[in-house]
Amino acid sequence: MTTMGIDPAQLSDDDLVRELRQLHTTRSDTFFHGSDDALDRHTSRTNELEAEYLRRYPDREVDPARLREGARQRT
C-alpha cells in the first residue's frame, strides 16, 4: 500500500479523527465532480484512515439504532 500524506499510524488520535471527518465531508464532491484519479485517491486514503481507526478502536461504540434490529424498531 502506498500512502500519500502522513502514514495513518503516525497520526495522533485527534488528527486521525479530524482527517476522517474531512474525507467524509468531501466525499460527495469528489464522487460527483472529481476526476477518476481524484476519486481513486480519495477512496484509497479513506480506506487507509478507516483501517487505522478500526485497528486502534476494534471495540468502538456501536449505536444500537444503527443495527438491523434498531432499523426494524424505527419502522
Side-chain angles (χ1 to χ4, degrees):
M1 171 185 343
T2 302
T3 297
M4 288 183 64
I6 298 173
D7 182 342
Q10 301 302 313
L11 294 170
S12 69
D13 289 350
D14 288 342
D15 288 339
L16 178 61
V17 170
R18 181 180 44 77
E19 291 292 321
L20 279 167
R21 289 190 189 285
Q22 180 61 26
L23 281 169
H24 285 242
T25 298
T26 60
R27 182 63 182 181
S28 291
D29 282 341
T30 305
F31 180 78
F32 287 112
H33 307 292
S35 67
D36 289 344
D37 287 342
L39 182 58
D40 287 346
R41 184 63 207 127
H42 197 280
T43 300
S44 65
R45 184 62 173 170
T46 300
N47 289 341
E48 291 171 358
L49 294 170
E50 287 179 348
E52 178 61 22
Y53 184 88
L54 292 173
R55 185 189 69 74
R56 292 184 195 187
Y57 302 102
D59 297 323
R60 71 192 192 289
E61 182 179 338
V62 175
D63 181 350
R66 302 290 299 183
L67 301 173
R68 195 172 290 173
E69 185 61 33
R72 288 187 189 118
Q73 292 175 4
R74 287 191 305 270
T75 59

